[in-house]
Amino acid sequence: LVLTSDCLFDPTVLLVLGVQEIHADQEMIGKISAAGQVMQCSASLDVLFLLDGSYSIGKGGFERSKQFAGKLCDALDIRPDRVRVGMVQFSSTPHLEFPLDSYLTKQEVKDRIKRIVFRGGSTETGRALKYILRKGFPGGRNSSVPEVLIIISDGKSQGSTAMPAMQVKERRVTVFAVGIKFPRWEELHVLATEPTDQHVFFAGDADDAANGLYSTLTGSVCRATAPGCKVESHPCERRTLETVKELAGSYVCWKGSKQPNAVRASLCPFYRWKRVVIKHPSRCFRTACPEPCDSQPCQNGGTCVPEGLDKYHCLCPVGYGGDIHCAAKLSLECGVDLLFLMDSSAGVTLEGFLRYKAFLKRFLQAVMGRDSPMNVGVAQYDNSVRIPIGVGQHKDAFSFMKSIDALNFSGGGTLTGRALRYVAQHGFRSAPAFADVRDDLPRVVVLLTDSKSQDPVSEAAKYARDRGLFLLGVGSSFVRAELAEVTGNPKQTVVYSDPQDLFNRIPELQRRICSVDAPEGCQAQSLDLAFAVDASAGVGLENFLRLRDFVKSSRLHFNINRDVTQIALVVYGSKPHTLFALDTHTSGSALLQAIDQAPFLGDSASAGSALLHIYGDVMTVQKGARPGVSKVVVVLTNGGGLEDAAAPAQQLRDNGILVFVVVIGGAQRDTLLRVAESPNYLLHISSYEDLQYYQDLIIERICEEAKSPVNLCKPNPCMNQGVCILGPGGYRCECYGWEGPHCESRVLRGDSPRSAVLPPRSHVQRSLTGLRHFSRAPQPTKR
């Protein structure tokens, strides 16, 4: 879109050429775009295009003009009794391409415009206007309906256009002038109907120009807009990029003289060329339609992203997304007395202190519900310790936010040890102040720091833990070792990689807080768990031993027996190898010895082969898998050999088996997500040394899956191509040539018996015992 305005230039500056743009705020651009999807002028109207086909336009510019004309047709309801369209191409002489009564549908008109051939010649705009005066609108309805002339030109006419343009407009023809390429805007404004800011456009932005045409016609002939849409005036800015010649200065030069054998020195002007941007603030008139995001439907700082005219989605911050509008999805359902111990020393800086305040507010907004059973307080420390917000002082998030806003940065020394002793003694007022009263809520202290302590922390932290405080540490990797020293357990530290990543740790911190009273691991849930460990050359022997140790320490989190947790181990390189099946070992000690036997293979890696192997030879009833029990596969890898793993991983998921991918080192995230399907089932760790710090998180994710409901027929518990059929509270196997509850025994004579039906009660009993009485190699049934 291009709009006029008067500009004053230095007389030493000469304008040469320009390119025009229109600038408006993004919100208005979005509304204009939304309007373009629904607007259409539906009225009795004759529209004639006057298309510049001269050499100054060029063939490329002419093709752009044709595309633009087709775009304008989208805003017109082209039908015999509504809008009719014709076209004249002009250069040295005007040429009628097609009259208004030739094509009576929108698609026919657009197809005909595409077939128009560039003619070339001089730009005789005045002669083209005289053709209109003499011939009228060819094929039109004899002025019985409004007439609209749309001139698409660069405005570089060979003769005067003022008089014929005035005569055309005197015949009550509405004239729009559209600039193409590098137009002469003064001439286009002479051609267009007044007011020119509503009748002159720029073909460089077809969507905007089509909207402008519709908006102007709405006020005269169309007289209707889509529901909710309206013509609005809004501030905009026209920018003209000009190449100018300016005076650079005067320098000494030599000139001739009337006297023979003599020369004369003088000052001569010198010029230089440069490109300058000239801005013209103005106003635009456009049809704007309301966007679905206008009502600001996203809560809690979520960003609304429109999808067409009536749909949208919300991009939610971490901790939100409980519904489509970014409701809080976390909550501290666990009842705890929670105290945040926030470092406000010079070591964390004012910027870090403000980041902690923002983190606290975001965390509390996400987890603090109206009926939350927790009590929360905040202490801050440097050389001294203060408790500005006592535990349980606020019961609603709003008043808590105001108190957090009032916290001030102090900037003293970092005495973390002293602070831990102080909160152990004074942080929880209901503690042993009354000997006969015992508060039954667990007491949790979350240390927020990114600065190493200037006093010892070990004894102070032990003192706090001995008094029954559950300590958690939140900080960057710079203080990881000290946080582990404070908490007494690396699993009770939350480490972030960069300032923004701190906010991504909110869900992890919520889980850590609520783990204070939870039994460690999956001691009560039934689970079939298979580890797939990368033993390829890409991992290396030293790192493979670390992965093996990780599997060994993970087994401590599970109750290993055939009624609760069964674990299988597969190592893989180019081929997979089962070290032991799900039902091989029924105790943790036996499992430990077996893991130590896992060999390093040292060849190339194929994770896809390993997952196919687990699907066909590990997670099956023949190999000890139990129907009705949650099943999880954990892949431990450096990221190599995952290219062939996406399809097998999806096959496992389709059969009710979760695939959790743990990648150590650099790898393409797109490839990893194709295997894991969701970021919730992908953990990307920077180094093998850091793997131990993430074990607790991995076990928690596995345990969450173990609590999920399962489909009794996924994976198929029926052997030998039997079909699993769900029934009320149980399932049965439809067998063909086999018999038994799981089609495990071949029929030796007679007709195939009817399928065994597992009643609900017996199925529950069988799933709890792991169906361990089924043989691995089916034996013929004696009859």
Side-chain angles (χ1 to χ4, degrees):
L1 168 66
V2 177
L3 302 167
T4 58
S5 66
D6 295 327
C7 296
L8 296 176
F9 299 100
D10 188 285
T12 60
V13 177
L14 306 176
L15 296 181
V16 178
L17 57 85
V19 60
Q20 307 286 326
E21 294 180 289
I22 188 68
H23 286 254
D25 65 84
Q26 287 299 315
E27 181 181 0
M28 178 56 65
I29 291 173
K31 290 183 177 182
I32 289 174
S33 177
Q37 300 176 43
V38 297
M39 65 188 187
Q40 192 169 79
C41 182
S42 184
S44 294
L45 186 66
D46 283 350
V47 176
L48 182 64
F49 284 96
L50 199 55
L51 199 62
D52 188 343
S54 64
Y55 289 130
S56 62
I57 288 285
K59 192 169 184 180
F62 183 74
E63 291 301 317
R64 286 194 293 274
S65 298
K66 286 165 53 179
Q67 292 177 3
F68 175 76
K71 183 67 180 178
L72 290 188
C73 288
D74 288 333
L76 303 173
D77 182 17
I78 300 175
R79 286 186 289 167
D81 60 334
R82 311 303 285 172
V83 180
R84 295 186 183 183
V85 173
M87 180 165 287
V88 173
Q89 179 183 174
F90 74 94
S91 51
S92 301
T93 58
H95 172 76
L96 177 64
E97 297 291 350
F98 59 91
L100 285 100
D101 56 359
S102 292
Y103 302 101
L104 303 179
T105 69
K106 182 179 300 187
Q107 194 57 49
E108 288 177 350
V109 170
K110 293 178 70 171
D111 290 343
R112 179 64 181 87
I113 291 174
K114 289 178 182 178
R115 297 197 302 270
I116 294 177
V117 178
F118 175 65
R119 301 177 69 84
S122 58
T123 313
E124 299 287 351
T125 312
R127 181 175 294 179
L129 291 173
K130 291 175 182 176
Y131 174 88
I132 301 300
L133 289 169
R134 186 172 65 256
K135 299 282 189 177
F137 275 39
R141 285 168 274 191
N142 300 322
S143 301
S144 61
V145 299
E147 296 177 327
V148 173
L149 181 65
I150 301 176
I151 306 172
I152 304 177
S153 171
D154 61 0
K156 298 176 182 178
S157 180
Q158 304 301 314
S160 174
T161 60
M163 183 58 69
M166 183 182 68
Q167 292 172 338
V168 169
K169 288 180 282 189
E170 285 177 348
R171 294 192 179 184
R172 306 189 69 174
V173 175
T174 302
V175 182
F176 290 90
V178 181
I180 191 75
K181 208 174 178 181
F182 302 121
R184 287 189 182 136
W185 296 105
E186 317 82 52
E187 181 174 312
L188 295 181
H189 284 281
V190 169
L191 296 174
T193 298
E194 295 286 344
T196 55
D197 58 0
Q198 296 181 41
H199 292 84
V200 176
F201 308 120
F202 180 46
D205 190 339
D207 289 332
D208 179 77
N211 187 299
L213 172 72
Y214 174 84
S215 301
T216 302
L217 292 178
T218 296
S220 54
V221 293
C222 299
R223 304 190 185 283
T225 58
C229 304
K230 60 182 179 179
V231 179
E232 295 181 356
S233 167
H234 65 90
C236 57
E237 181 180 85
R238 176 169 64 97
R239 295 183 181 180
T240 311
L241 182 61
E242 307 285 1
T243 300
V244 300
K245 177 182 178 182
E246 67 177 7
L247 181 66
S250 298
Y251 299 91
V252 174
C253 61
W254 302 99
K255 292 187 177 181
S257 172
K258 294 180 180 179
Q259 300 177 357
N261 302 322
V263 292
R264 180 167 60 88
S266 179
L267 290 177
C268 299
F270 283 84
Y271 296 90
R272 64 185 175 192
W273 300 89
K274 72 174 185 178
R275 294 171 74 82
V276 297
V277 176
I278 302 171
K279 301 178 181 179
H280 309 291
S282 187
R283 297 199 69 80
C284 298
F285 296 86
R286 295 293 179 266
T287 298
C289 292
E291 286 186 308
C293 290
D294 287 350
S295 60
Q296 299 181 338
C298 303
Q299 306 165 0
N300 298 310
T303 302
C304 184
V305 180
E307 297 175 348
L309 291 175
D310 55 357
K311 296 181 180 179
Y312 64 89
H313 69 271
C314 295
L315 297 177
C316 305
V318 174
Y320 299 91
D323 63 12
I324 61 171
H325 297 128
C326 299
K329 68 177 178 181
L330 304 175
S331 64
L332 287 179
E333 296 299 335
C334 51
V336 294
D337 283 345
L338 174 63
L339 180 66
F340 284 94
L341 180 58
M342 184 166 56
D343 187 350
S344 65
S345 68
V348 300
T349 71
L350 174 59
E351 180 183 2
F353 179 75
L354 295 176
R355 188 181 306 121
Y356 286 151
K357 286 174 61 173
F359 172 78
L360 280 181
K361 292 170 68 175
R362 179 80 62 83
F363 178 85
L364 291 167
Q365 282 177 317
V367 304
M368 194 170 183
R370 183 171 298 176
D371 300 321
S372 176
M374 66 176 177
N375 302 306
V376 187
V378 178
Q380 61 181 112
Y381 74 94
D382 42 70
N383 294 317
S384 60
V385 190
R386 300 164 298 287
I387 306 180
I389 306 173
V391 174
Q393 179 179 331
H394 297 291
K395 283 297 184 183
D396 65 280
F398 179 75
S399 60
F400 215 128
M401 300 303 130
K402 294 179 65 177
S403 295
I404 291 175
D405 285 335
L407 299 179
N408 293 315
F409 177 64
S410 48
T414 312
L415 301 183
T416 308
R418 179 178 179 179
L420 288 168
R421 285 186 179 273
Y422 183 89
V423 297
Q425 296 169 355
H426 308 288
F428 301 89
R429 288 295 184 181
S430 61
F434 304 99
D436 59 338
V437 177
R438 184 170 183 83
D439 191 345
D440 60 352
L441 288 181
R443 300 185 183 92
V444 180
V445 175
V446 177
L447 173 64
L448 279 172
T449 182
D450 196 25
S451 177
K452 290 184 177 179
S453 179
Q454 295 170 344
D455 66 343
V457 296
S458 295
E459 287 300 320
K462 185 177 184 302
Y463 174 80
R465 294 196 300 270
D466 290 344
R467 291 175 69 89
L469 300 188
F470 183 72
L471 300 182
L472 295 171
V474 178
S476 70
S477 55
F478 175 69
V479 291
R480 183 200 298 271
E482 186 169 289
L483 291 179
E485 190 178 359
V486 168
T487 62
N489 186 346
K491 300 172 185 176
Q492 291 168 215
T493 63
V494 177
V495 178
Y496 57 90
S497 57
D498 55 64
Q500 181 55 42
D501 188 44
L502 169 63
F503 296 90
N504 297 334
R505 300 298 170 183
I506 288 176
E508 184 180 350
L509 177 59
Q510 182 260 352
R511 288 193 297 270
R512 295 281 183 270
I513 292 170
C514 286
S515 69
V516 59
D517 262 355
E520 192 172 294
C522 305
Q523 303 296 333
Q525 286 84 33
S526 296
L527 178 68
D528 285 345
L529 173 62
F531 285 96
V533 180
D534 188 343
S536 67
V539 171
L541 176 59
E542 182 180 355
N543 292 329
F544 171 75
L545 295 177
R546 287 194 176 100
L547 296 180
R548 198 171 72 178
D549 288 342
F550 176 84
V551 177
K552 287 167 60 178
S553 60
S554 295
R555 67 103 181 53
L556 296 171
H557 296 265
F558 301 96
N559 185 1
I560 307 297
N561 63 65
R562 288 181 178 168
D563 289 332
V564 186
T565 299
Q566 296 186 149
I567 293 181
L569 175 60
V570 173
V571 295
Y572 70 90
S574 58
K575 295 181 179 179
H577 302 272
T578 301
L579 268 297
F580 48 84
L582 286 167
D583 62 347
T584 303
H585 300 295
T586 58
S587 69
S589 57
L591 203 67
L592 184 64
Q593 294 177 9
I595 295 171
D596 278 331
Q597 304 305 312
F600 175 65
L601 303 176
D603 54 356
S604 59
S606 173
S609 298
L611 293 177
L612 281 174
H613 174 77
I614 289 172
Y615 175 75
D617 294 302
V618 177
M619 290 293 185
T620 63
V621 173
Q622 296 97 314
K623 300 294 185 180
R626 296 164 294 173
V629 172
S630 295
K631 292 170 174 56
V632 178
V633 177
V634 177
V635 182
L636 297 167
T637 177
N638 71 337
L642 285 173
E643 296 79 10
D644 62 348
Q650 188 59 49
Q651 186 177 20
L652 286 165
R653 284 190 293 269
D654 290 343
N655 284 274
I657 303 170
L658 171 70
V659 179
F660 193 89
V661 183
V662 180
V663 179
I664 303 96
Q668 291 292 329
R669 185 168 177 82
D670 290 345
T671 302
L672 302 180
L673 281 174
R674 282 196 293 271
V675 179
E677 185 183 45
S678 164
N680 294 331
Y681 304 124
L682 172 64
L683 192 60
H684 202 169
I685 303 172
S686 58
S687 69
Y688 287 88
E689 292 80 1
D690 289 343
L691 181 59
Q692 58 177 320
Y693 300 117
Y694 289 87
Q695 185 175 57
D696 199 31
L697 176 61
I698 294 169
I699 299 301
E700 283 181 8
R701 296 273 179 87
I702 294 172
C703 294
E704 288 173 4
E705 182 63 22
K707 298 174 185 177
S708 302
V710 295
N711 184 331
L712 300 179
C713 285
K714 285 191 175 183
N716 185 5
C718 307
M719 305 181 194
N720 302 308
Q721 285 76 52
V723 178
C724 179
I725 300 175
L726 285 172
Y731 66 91
R732 64 184 177 89
C733 287
E734 190 79 46
C735 305
Y736 303 95
W738 299 76
E739 63 182 354
H742 293 85
C743 309
E744 67 272 17
S745 301
R746 184 181 293 278
V747 177
L748 297 181
R749 63 182 184 276
D751 296 328
S752 297
R754 300 183 66 182
S755 305
V757 178
L758 301 181
R761 182 172 180 80
S762 68
H763 165 69
V764 173
Q765 292 168 349
R766 289 178 188 274
S767 65
L768 287 175
T769 59
L771 296 167
R772 56 181 178 270
H773 58 280
F774 292 145
S775 63
R776 305 300 163 254
Q779 301 295 323
T781 302
K782 296 181 180 180
R783 299 179 68 95

